C-alpha cells in the first residue's frame, strides 16, 4: 500500500514561518527541523546572524544539521564538506586541489529574527510579519511559552485559537464557565491577508495557582479581546479590562507537515513584572495540553476548507472567515 503525499499549496512556501525560538538556535551548533515537509537547517555565523538552508548534503544526502560550524561555514558530518551561508560548497577535504563542481550546493532560504523567534521562508515572501509596537516598549515584559508540539496541521492549531465556544468545556474555571456558555456576537473584517475581530465577555476568576489576568472577580471587569489573525498561521491578541493594564499574546504555528505542527506563544504585559515567568508558562502549558487532546482527535488532521464537510453555526464566524480567506489567498488545500 502506498501513501499518497498531499501537496502543500505553493503560496505557503512564500510565507514566513517560525522554526524556533532565538535561544534554540545557538552559535556553536546547527539546528535541524522540518518546514512544510522540507528538511531545514538553521545556524548562526560569527556575527550572530541566522541563516537557513536545505538540511541535505548534495554529496550523499546526509543531514547537515548533524554537523558543526567552522569558519562561518556549515560542515557535513559525513565527509566534512563545507557549505557557506549561501549554500555553496567551498571545501572538499578529500580532493582539496580539484575544482568544486557547480552542483555542489544546497538551496538556501530567507531567514530573519523577530519577536524572539527565527523565521524562514522557502520562497520569496508575499506577506510581511505583523507589527507589535508593545513588544518594542520596555514597559512591557515578554515571556516565551511552549513550544507546543501537536500531531495536527497548523490550520487546526490556529483555528482552535479562534474558537470561543470551547472555553467553558475545555478550559472550565480558567478561560470559561459552563454556567455562561453563550458566545458573544463577533463581527469579522477581512483586510487583504489579515482578519480583524473582537469580543467582550465576562472574565473567569484568577486563581491562587494562576494569578494571570488583571481582574478581581468573575463578572467585573469584563475582558475585551481584540484579535488580528495574520494568514496563514499567526494571531495577535490584545487583552484589556478597561484600565491601563493590558496583555498582548502573539501566537504562531510552524507547519512541520500535514499532521504535525509546533506552536509558539509569546506573552507581553505591562503589569506584574515581578511575577516569575513560570506562572505564565505553566498556565499556558495547562491550556495548550487541554486543547491538544481535543485537536489531535479531530479528523481530518487538516482544516477541511470545503464548507460542506463540517457543520457551521453563527458562533463559528471567525472560523468561517478564516477558511474563506485562506481559500481566497490560495493558502488552503
Amino acid at each position: 500500500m502506498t501513501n499518497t503525499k498531499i501537496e502543500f499549496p505553493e503560496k505557503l512556501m512564500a510565507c514566513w514561518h517560525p522554526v524556533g525560538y532565538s535561544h534554540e538556535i545557538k552559535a556553536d551548533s546547527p539546528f535541524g527541523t522540518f518546514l512544510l515537509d522540507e528538511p531545514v537547517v538553521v545556524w548562526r555565523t560569527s556575527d550572530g546572524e541566522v541563516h537557513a538552508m536545505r538540511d541535505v548534503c548534495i554529496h550523499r544526502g546526509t543531514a547537515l544539521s548533524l554537523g558543526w560550524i567552522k569558519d562561518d561555514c556549515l560542515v557535513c558530518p559525513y565527509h566534512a564538506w563545507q557549505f557557506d551561508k549561501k549554500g555553496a560548497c567551498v571545501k572538499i577535504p578529500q580532493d582539496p586541489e580539484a575544482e568544486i563542481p557547480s552542483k555542489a550546493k544546497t538551496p538556501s532560504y530567507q531567514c530573519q529574527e523577530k519577536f524572539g523567534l527565527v523565521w524562514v521562508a522557502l520562497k520569496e515572501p508575499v506577506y510581511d510579519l505583523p507589527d507589535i509596537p508593545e513588544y518594542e516598549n520596555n514597559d512591557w515584559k515578554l515571556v516565551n511559552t511552549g513550544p507546543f508540539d501537536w500531531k495536527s496541521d497548523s490550520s487546526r492549531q490556529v483555528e482552535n485559537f479562534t474558537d470561543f465556544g470551547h472555553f467553558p468545556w475545555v478550559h472550565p474555571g480558567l478561560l470559561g464557565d459552563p454556567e455562561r456558555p453563550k458566545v458573544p456576537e463577533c463581527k469579522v473584517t477581512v483586510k487583504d491577508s489579515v482578519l480583524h475581530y473582537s469580543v467582550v465577555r465576562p472574565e473567569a476568576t484568577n486563581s491562587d495557582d494562576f494569578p494571570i489576568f488583571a481582574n478581581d472577580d468573575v463578572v467585573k471587569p469584563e475582558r475585551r479581546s481584540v484579535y488580528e489573525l495574520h494568514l496563514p498561521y499567526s494571531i495577535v491578541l490584545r487583552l484589556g479590562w478597561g484600565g491601563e493594564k493590558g496583555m498582548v499574546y502573539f501566537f504562531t504555528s510552524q507547519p512541520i507537515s500535514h499532521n504535525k505542527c509546533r506552536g509558539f506563544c509569546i506573552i507581553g504585559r505591562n503589569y506584574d513584572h515581578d511575577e516569575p515567568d513560570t506562572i505564565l508558562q505553566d498556565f499556558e502549558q495547562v491550556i495548550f495540553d487541554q486543547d491538544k487532546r481535543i485537536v489531535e482527535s479531530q479528523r481530518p488532521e487538516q482544516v477541511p476548507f470545503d464548507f460542506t464537510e463540517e457543520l457551521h453555526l453563527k458562533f463559528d464566524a471567525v472560523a468561517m472567515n478564516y477558511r474563506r480567506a485562506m481559500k481566497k489567498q490560495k493558502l488552503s488545500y
Side-chain angles (χ1 to χ4, degrees):
M1 181 177 178
T2 59
N3 293 325
T4 302
K5 182 178 179 181
I6 304 174
E7 295 294 334
F8 284 100
E10 189 77 10
K11 198 172 180 181
L12 276 180
M13 308 285 180
C15 295
W16 288 109
H17 299 288
V19 293
Y21 279 122
S22 291
H23 65 79
E24 294 183 283
I25 288 76
K26 305 183 187 304
D28 58 352
S29 61
F31 179 87
T33 187
F34 279 81
L35 183 60
L36 300 167
D37 276 338
E38 289 294 319
V40 174
V41 57
V42 185
W43 54 292
R44 295 184 187 275
T45 45
S46 56
D47 57 5
E49 291 295 311
V50 287
H51 308 278
M53 60 180 63
R54 191 163 189 259
D55 193 14
V56 177
C57 178
I58 188 64
H59 181 217
R60 287 294 180 267
T62 311
L64 295 170
S65 57
L66 297 178
W68 59 93
I69 301 168
K70 180 181 179 182
D71 299 329
D72 279 347
C73 290
L74 197 52
V75 185
C76 176
Y78 202 6
H79 297 94
W81 289 24
Q82 293 186 20
F83 296 84
D84 66 15
K85 62 186 180 182
K86 295 183 179 180
C89 180
V90 296
K91 185 175 182 179
I92 299 178
Q94 291 78 13
D95 196 357
E97 305 302 324
E99 182 179 351
I100 296 175
S102 59
K103 187 180 178 180
K105 58 186 177 182
T106 189
S108 61
Y109 306 125
Q110 293 199 41
C111 189
Q112 66 166 306
E113 285 186 88
K114 191 173 183 179
F115 312 129
L117 289 165
V118 174
W119 302 79
V120 170
L122 300 179
K123 294 188 175 181
E124 184 68 28
V126 292
Y127 308 125
D128 294 328
L129 289 173
D131 289 321
I132 309 178
E134 295 91 336
Y135 283 15
E136 300 174 6
N137 186 328
N138 291 332
D139 292 335
W140 291 74
K141 181 183 179 183
L142 305 185
V143 177
N144 294 342
T145 69
F148 306 102
D149 294 286
W150 290 7
K151 294 177 182 177
S152 76
D153 187 77
S154 282
S155 59
R156 286 290 196 191
Q157 194 172 46
V158 168
E159 196 172 271
N160 174 76
F161 207 101
T162 73
D163 188 296
F164 305 121
H166 79 280
F167 289 169
W169 319 109
V170 182
H171 314 296
L174 295 175
L175 295 180
D177 182 351
E179 298 299 318
R180 301 195 311 276
K182 185 177 180 180
V183 176
E185 286 200 30
C186 178
K187 181 180 178 181
V188 182
T189 302
V190 183
K191 297 180 180 178
D192 297 322
S193 61
V194 184
L195 281 64
H196 301 265
Y197 55 100
S198 63
V199 295
V200 178
R201 60 189 178 85
E203 184 60 276
T205 54
N206 270 318
S207 67
D208 291 337
D209 291 333
F210 300 119
I212 302 298
F213 304 117
N215 62 294
D216 298 318
D217 52 47
V218 175
V219 179
K220 294 183 179 180
E222 291 184 320
R223 181 203 294 196
R224 180 173 180 81
S225 304
V226 181
Y227 292 81
E228 297 173 7
L229 197 168
H230 294 254
L231 300 182
Y233 307 129
S234 295
I235 296 176
V236 181
L237 163 60
R238 291 178 170 86
L239 301 179
W241 295 268
E244 294 182 359
K245 295 179 180 179
M247 299 182 76
V248 178
Y249 275 68
F250 179 59
F251 173 77
T252 186
S253 184
Q254 174 186 353
I256 295 172
S257 69
H258 292 281
N259 57 6
K260 189 175 182 181
C261 63
R262 194 177 197 223
F264 303 88
C265 186
I266 303 168
I267 304 171
R269 61 179 173 181
N270 60 0
Y271 62 93
D272 289 347
H273 286 191
D274 294 334
E275 285 191 352
D277 293 352
T278 52
I279 291 179
L280 276 173
Q281 291 165 341
D282 292 347
F283 175 78
E284 292 304 325
Q285 192 65 57
V286 169
I287 297 298
F288 275 87
D289 282 348
Q290 291 172 337
D291 284 325
K292 177 179 180 178
R293 171 176 158 272
I294 299 298
V295 174
E296 287 189 344
S297 78
Q298 290 179 289
R299 293 296 179 270
E301 287 88 348
Q302 306 86 30
V303 163
F305 290 95
D306 183 341
F307 272 40
T308 64
E309 292 188 33
E310 291 183 338
L311 178 62
H312 310 280
L313 299 179
K314 186 177 179 180
F315 60 83
D316 297 313
V318 179
M320 293 173 69
N321 277 275
Y322 173 60
R323 297 180 183 199
R324 191 178 293 116
M326 287 283 282
K327 288 188 73 172
K328 184 176 180 180
Q329 292 288 327
K330 297 181 170 35
L331 295 166
S332 64
Y333 306 120

